[in-house]
Amino acid sequence: MNIAVAGTGYVGLVTGACFAEFGVHVVCVDIDEAKIAALQAGKVPFFEPGLEEMIRRNTKAGRLSFTTELSAAVENSLAVFIAVGTPSDEDGSADLSAVRNVAIAIARNMSEYKIVVTKSTVPMGTGAMIRDLIGENQRVPVHFDVASNPEFLREGSAIEDFMRPNRVVIGASSEQAAAILKDLYRPLNLIEVPFVITDVVTAEMIKYASNAFLATKISYINEMALLCERVGADVHQVARGMGLDKRIGAKFLHPGPGFGGSCFPKDTQALLAIGKSNDVDLKVIRAAVEVNERQTGLMLQKVRQMVGGDLGDKVVGMLGLSFKPNTSDVRESPALRLAQELMRAGAHVKAYDPAGMEEAGAVLQQLELMEDEYAVAQDSDVLVLATEWNQFRQLDLERIRASLRKPLVVDLRNIYEPADMKRLGFEYVGVGR
Ligand code: NAD
């Protein structure tokens, strides 16, 4: 089968490469000429483990190619996936301009039956909107189907998530479209991945309901962590005690500086906006967002207390800038939110991240970017662990202590054990313990 994928960001590129790995012929399309030129030269414009090799392998095998020309890509494909960005608009709702542009371009280049599939996270009703847009913009009236196939991959483990998903959700406007899409995912039958086959609007809703639930779980444990600090309980033991209950599950019960990244903040805001336009006050989601917004201030407070109250002229060393480990993505990164607040309070922030330095430097020019963990610690007043990269779990703590002006560590990811840190001579604070 031949397919096209419009948008070569995290989702589009992983989708394209993984379908090619399944043996499908894939053309990836983007309007960003520099990105396409880099991809044609075998270079992935961001860090995602395993992706560059997979792209090289499939490009060499002739199953994967990159272009800025949507017309030919549409013409030769049975299914066209839309994987462009759907960022937040000013009022929090999803900005669908890129989705609309692609839909219109697909319509203009359609001369036989196609399935137009949204992989992007789009509000309920977008499938219907795409159907209308295509109907209005076709040059020749041809039959087509619209489908929703939301993506659940996580950056940092995107390939594994695509190749071994917990489920595949397909919402389609006809049985034929659902069958074709299911066939595209046939290799997953070998590992017995469940399929949820439904209508388009339900599939669109599954994605928002899932992301908002996960975001809520994070805010929930962060709220419990705050209470743990006040009553003298250990949130790790609380989370373990909760998580062993199969109805709750252990995942997403890690306290920290709040959720970030390109999905949870924007998708919870978009869901609130969808609720509002449908006269439904989504109180749980609103609370999850409020708890998350409070988190940066609480983390700032921890650093402030550690240095004795005044952050003016203090040097804060920060380890980790990406919104989570194994990615260079700093969109809505809690580390950057905190760095910004620290600088606003008068501190100088020195930082290191294994992958996201360039990206972070572009957002916060005042950050002093260092070459490694030890350069960050050197002559800093306090060390803040902001993102839990594995390499930060094995620091030479003696060397860190000797490098810092004072042995102060604020561990926002609870990487280290408080008792061990105390024994090593640190003044240490984590989250919720
Ligand atoms: P991204 O910003 O990394 O990439 C989007 C790409 O679309 C860019 O390369 C951009 O140039 C391209 N584009 C914009 N307009 C275009 C057009 N008219 N034609 C062709 N290409 C165009 O975005 P992303 O992180 O890959 O996210 C894409 C969608 O997937 C979003 O809706 C997001 O919510 C959703 N999603 C993201 C993740 C994730 O972890 N990043 C996970 C699941 C779902």
Side-chain angles (χ1 to χ4, degrees):
M1 196 189 300
N2 291 352
I3 67 163
V5 181
T8 60
Y10 288 85
V11 167
L13 215 43
V14 171
T15 300
C18 289
F19 275 136
E21 189 80 6
F22 287 170
V24 175
H25 283 88
V26 185
V27 183
C28 290
V29 190
D30 209 296
I31 47 170
D32 184 334
E33 287 176 11
K35 208 174 209 179
I36 291 299
L39 287 164
Q40 283 167 339
K43 293 209 168 50
V44 175
F46 50 82
F47 174 69
E48 180 61 45
L51 186 58
E52 201 156 273
E53 297 89 273
M54 187 182 267
I55 286 178
R56 287 221 180 111
R57 189 165 61 242
N58 284 284
T59 308
K60 205 171 159 207
R63 286 189 298 266
L64 183 61
S65 60
F66 301 95
T67 180
T68 51
E69 301 292 327
L70 187 82
S71 48
V74 170
E75 184 143 343
N76 297 322
S77 302
L78 175 57
V80 185
F81 285 81
I82 302 179
V84 296
T86 49
S88 281
D89 233 332
E90 270 160 29
D91 64 352
S93 61
D95 175 350
L96 293 177
S97 48
V99 172
R100 268 192 225 104
N101 289 343
V102 177
I104 292 170
I106 294 171
R108 299 223 165 112
N109 290 290
M110 203 184 258
S111 55
E112 57 185 5
Y113 174 77
K114 308 279 169 203
I115 311 172
V116 180
V117 194
T118 48
K119 255 239 172 271
S120 300
T121 303
V122 292
M124 291 70 91
T126 303
M129 178 198 84
I130 291 175
R131 161 171 295 285
D132 291 347
L133 264 182
I134 293 180
E136 289 158 17
N137 287 281
Q138 277 182 332
R139 292 218 165 98
V140 270
V142 282
H143 178 51
F144 65 95
D145 273 306
V146 169
S148 162
N149 172 219
E151 184 49 58
F152 299 95
L153 63 78
R154 297 161 299 174
E155 290 173 21
S157 54
I159 290 182
E160 171 73 10
D161 291 345
F162 194 97
M163 296 305 237
R164 309 185 72 85
N166 292 160
R167 78 306 207 184
V168 172
V169 174
I170 294 171
S173 55
S174 78
E175 276 180 26
Q176 181 191 3
I180 292 171
L181 290 179
K182 210 173 161 210
D183 189 46
L184 202 50
Y185 281 103
R186 202 174 26 178
L188 299 184
N189 291 341
L190 284 173
I191 52 168
E192 297 183 5
V193 172
F195 283 78
V196 179
I197 308 287
T198 182
D199 56 70
V200 175
V201 72
T202 305
E204 290 168 342
M205 176 96 192
I206 288 171
K207 175 62 187 174
Y208 277 106
S210 302
N211 270 11
F213 187 84
L214 293 172
T216 304
K217 219 174 163 189
I218 294 173
S219 279
Y220 184 85
I221 200 66
N222 280 335
E223 200 164 63
M224 291 304 115
L226 185 59
L227 192 57
C228 280
E229 289 175 6
R230 303 288 159 86
V231 301
D234 180 340
V235 73
H236 273 214
Q237 299 296 329
V238 172
R240 185 170 140 76
M242 288 170 62
L244 285 168
D245 185 329
K246 292 204 172 88
R247 293 171 301 176
I248 297 174
K251 302 254 171 76
F252 277 71
L253 288 180
H254 301 287
F259 57 77
S262 67
C263 291
F264 291 171
K266 124 179 130 56
D267 294 347
T268 44
Q269 289 296 348
L271 192 54
L272 286 176
I274 298 167
K276 197 171 167 200
S277 63
N278 286 282
D279 283 327
V280 181
D281 182 10
L282 299 170
K283 293 176 195 237
V284 174
I285 313 302
R286 193 149 42 80
V289 169
E290 280 169 17
V291 167
N292 200 55
E293 284 169 353
R294 180 175 64 182
Q295 220 53 19
T296 306
L298 291 171
M299 301 300 114
L300 180 70
Q301 193 58 19
K302 281 178 191 291
V303 185
R304 201 191 283 281
Q305 269 169 4
M306 201 50 130
V307 298
D310 185 10
L311 280 161
D313 300 326
K314 290 287 188 302
V315 179
V316 177
M318 184 175 272
L319 296 186
L321 294 167
S322 56
F323 86 94
K324 65 173 183 177
N326 299 323
T327 179
S328 52
D329 198 347
V330 299
R331 289 180 284 183
E332 296 284 332
S333 168
L336 287 196
R337 286 201 292 257
L338 178 61
Q340 190 160 28
E341 288 307 312
L342 286 164
M343 293 192 284
R344 216 171 260 159
H348 176 73
V349 181
K350 291 162 60 174
Y352 167 73
D353 187 276
M357 301 272 266
E358 207 178 299
E359 290 79 355
V363 181
L364 282 186
Q365 285 88 3
Q366 313 94 300
L367 271 180
E368 190 184 355
L369 299 171
M370 309 305 289
E371 69 182 17
D372 65 16
E373 299 89 331
Y374 303 100
V376 167
Q378 191 64 48
D379 297 324
S380 285
D381 292 292
V382 56
L383 188 69
V384 177
L385 287 158
T387 311
E388 69 279 31
W389 283 87
N390 266 344
Q391 72 187 67
F392 300 156
R393 295 176 193 275
Q394 286 140 27
L395 296 174
D396 178 345
L397 291 169
E398 302 277 354
R399 190 172 160 200
I400 292 282
R401 196 191 53 216
S403 308
L404 285 165
R405 273 195 200 142
K406 285 186 188 156
L408 309 179
V409 172
V410 180
D411 182 357
L412 305 183
R413 301 292 184 171
N414 291 347
I415 293 175
Y416 289 102
E417 282 301 317
D420 295 347
M421 294 300 279
K422 206 170 161 196
R423 205 167 338 105
L424 284 164
F426 286 99
E427 235 182 277
Y428 169 93
V429 66
V431 180
R433 45 200 330 214

